[in-house]
Amino acid sequence: MSIHKPVLLKEVLAGLNLKAGDVVVDATLGGGGHSRAILEKIGKRGKLVAIDWDAKALVSFQKSLLVGQSKVVSLVQDNFAKLNNILGGLQIKKAAAILADLGFSSDQLEDESRGLSVQKDGPLDMRLDANGELPAWKIVNQYPLQDLEKIIRELGEERFAGRIARKICEERKKKRILT
């Protein structure tokens, strides 16, 4: 069961303005809190497309569904950036609402095996899709200094990217960085 609590749930539902029978996309299922509330609003005549890269999130949500809800829900393991293809594959031409709650869920941060927590020691993985090709430890240990600096500066928006990248390169000479 998920420990994640959706933020601004009442405000999100008010903004979505859902009605019974609506087709709704939760592009970032996560802990499923928003999706459970959406299901209450759209009822058995509605359709929920719940997308997440994280297979664990999908399995957990599927286990939490009430009797009859599984007919209303399509669970999709993929990146929400492929939304057009996902909806096309489900023969859905139009959605009444689309929700994307970007970021990590509490469940993902609390699971030290995911390598996402800065508070718990775990493998330096950081993949939402565990089947993905590139765990973070490979980047940290194998990428050249310039590439590390670029990643840290552009994706991390870190002004000390150069210093951090140099320190990583120094430390990995002593010992591989795996956590």
Side-chain angles (χ1 to χ4, degrees):
M1 189 65 163
S2 175
I3 61 168
H4 184 74
K5 302 286 184 240
V7 295
L8 302 170
L9 183 59
K10 289 178 185 174
E11 294 83 354
V12 167
L13 292 174
L16 294 175
N17 192 29
L18 302 174
K19 296 168 186 57
D22 278 349
V23 175
V24 181
V25 176
D26 184 345
T28 54
L29 175 66
H34 288 111
S35 281
R36 276 187 276 287
I38 288 167
L39 282 171
E40 288 178 24
K41 294 282 188 185
I42 65 173
K44 292 181 180 172
R45 292 187 352 258
K47 178 76 172 169
L48 172 67
V49 179
I51 304 167
D52 209 297
W53 253 355
D54 184 356
K56 287 183 180 181
L58 296 167
V59 168
S60 177
F61 186 71
Q62 187 171 32
K63 288 179 183 177
S64 76
L65 290 175
L66 301 174
V67 175
Q69 285 183 326
S70 60
K71 294 177 185 173
V72 176
V73 179
S74 291
L75 297 172
V76 180
Q77 184 183 5
D78 211 333
N79 185 325
F80 64 84
K82 299 177 185 172
L83 186 58
N84 282 338
N85 293 339
I86 293 167
L87 294 181
L90 296 169
Q91 280 94 42
I92 295 175
K93 291 181 174 43
K94 184 178 176 185
I98 299 174
L99 170 66
D101 182 11
L102 305 175
F104 299 113
S105 74
S106 304
D107 300 328
Q108 292 164 330
L109 294 173
E110 287 297 315
D111 181 355
E112 63 270 3
S113 71
R114 305 299 295 269
L116 295 168
S117 178
V118 293
Q119 296 179 336
K120 295 184 176 190
D121 192 25
L124 186 57
D125 191 318
M126 300 182 78
R127 294 174 294 174
L128 292 180
D129 177 0
N131 297 315
E133 295 180 20
L134 195 56
W137 66 264
K138 278 189 178 180
I139 296 169
V140 168
N141 289 288
Q142 297 173 3
Y143 276 34
L145 171 67
Q146 295 81 5
D147 292 349
L148 285 176
E149 185 176 346
K150 182 179 179 183
I151 289 169
I152 295 166
R153 178 172 287 109
E154 292 179 9
L155 299 179
E157 299 178 0
E158 175 59 57
R159 67 182 181 144
F160 299 114
R163 283 191 218 170
I164 294 167
R166 282 190 296 280
K167 187 66 175 171
I168 289 170
C169 290
E170 286 173 25
E171 292 300 317
R172 74 184 186 190
K173 285 179 185 175
K174 299 174 194 173
K175 178 181 165 188
R176 284 173 44 124
I177 301 168
L178 299 173
T179 63

